[in-house]
Amino acid sequence: MSDAADQGATLDAFRLDGDVCVVTDAAKGIGFAIARGLRNAGATVVVADRDETLGQQAAQSIGGGFVALDVTDSASVDRALDAVVAQYGKLDVLVNNAGIVKNTSALETDDAAWRAVLAVNLDGVFYCCRSAARHMSRARAGRIVNIASMSGSIANKPQPQASYNASKAGVIHLTRSLAAEWAADGIRVNSISPGYVGTELTKRGFAVEAWRRVWIDSTPLARMATPDEIAPGVVFLASRASAFVIGTDLVMDGGYTVW
């Protein structure tokens, strides 16, 4: 095989032509960038979101589909993914992107606030993984990418966010556990841990000078990522290029966790 053919084969391994992908919380921010990245790699992408207006707009802008989904409600998750399979005939890739954060100290975090974060960030990931795996196991193939966070490996400063950190640590280990359990069924499960990314949520924190200074000074690249810089990592883990990768947490944090 020629060098040009070798290169072509390598590039083809990152293509997702013919694949059906679902991305949760994809109406905006990182989720939308991921949906667009998967679409650019050739996939049919379904935006899954609680906000039907923004979700449908996002889906239309990338030429994809939309399904209403509340990750905290397992019945809603099952209905949504069943509908995707009914419409498209299969489900090849699931990206669990939905997440929330509450910057409250542990002593000021009441039961409701704790449960709200865990319900979205951890319970929701499990519900979506379980529902997707029911379809993927029948096909003996599938890929799941969970969006965790560097906060699952370190405790951020100076902002307090114990509930968020704990939830993302749970996502990372849930990913490893499901990867080991479902590998025999042809399902590959991996996660990505972004650092600070320039979404509307993060930009609000970035506007606090004391936080901004620590965040930048603690990051070797001395900046936040853009959502579009996270999307290629998802394409890699969703594609044949990562065929021998399971249970891995791909850290994309500009070096924050190096120090």
Side-chain angles (χ1 to χ4, degrees), residues 212-229:
R212 185 199 68 78
R213 185 171 60 253
V214 173
W215 293 359
I216 293 301
D217 289 348
S218 299
T219 304
L221 285 182
R223 66 175 179 85
M224 291 192 293
T226 67
D228 286 333
E229 289 177 311

Side-chain angles (χ1 to χ4, degrees), residues 30-151:
I30 296 174
F32 178 70
I34 290 170
R36 184 169 56 200
L38 294 170
R39 181 69 185 89
N40 289 342
T44 296
V45 179
V46 179
V47 171
D49 207 284
R50 288 201 310 176
D51 190 321
E52 296 194 27
T53 300
L54 287 180
Q56 289 173 344
Q57 290 174 352
Q60 184 176 10
S61 71
I62 63 170
F66 171 79
V67 65
L69 179 149
D70 178 355
V71 300
T72 68
D73 180 347
S74 64
S76 170
V77 170
D78 289 342
R79 285 194 301 270
L81 297 189
D82 286 350
V84 169
V85 173
Q87 180 173 354
Y88 297 97
K90 60 177 182 171
L91 172 60
D92 298 294
V93 177
L94 168 69
V95 181
N96 284 309
N97 172 71
I100 61 172
V101 64
K102 292 184 182 295
N103 295 123
T104 56
S105 69
L107 291 179
E108 294 174 343
T109 300
D110 60 23
D111 293 358
W114 174 267
R115 280 304 323 152
V117 173
L118 272 291
V120 175
N121 294 7
L122 186 56
D123 297 352
V125 170
F126 176 70
Y127 295 156
C128 290
C129 285
R130 181 181 62 186
S131 187
R134 289 169 177 156
H135 296 286
M136 293 175 175
S137 62
R138 288 195 287 270
R140 307 294 297 173
R143 287 136 281 157
I144 297 174
V145 183
N146 297 322
I147 305 303
S149 170
M150 68 176 184
S151 303

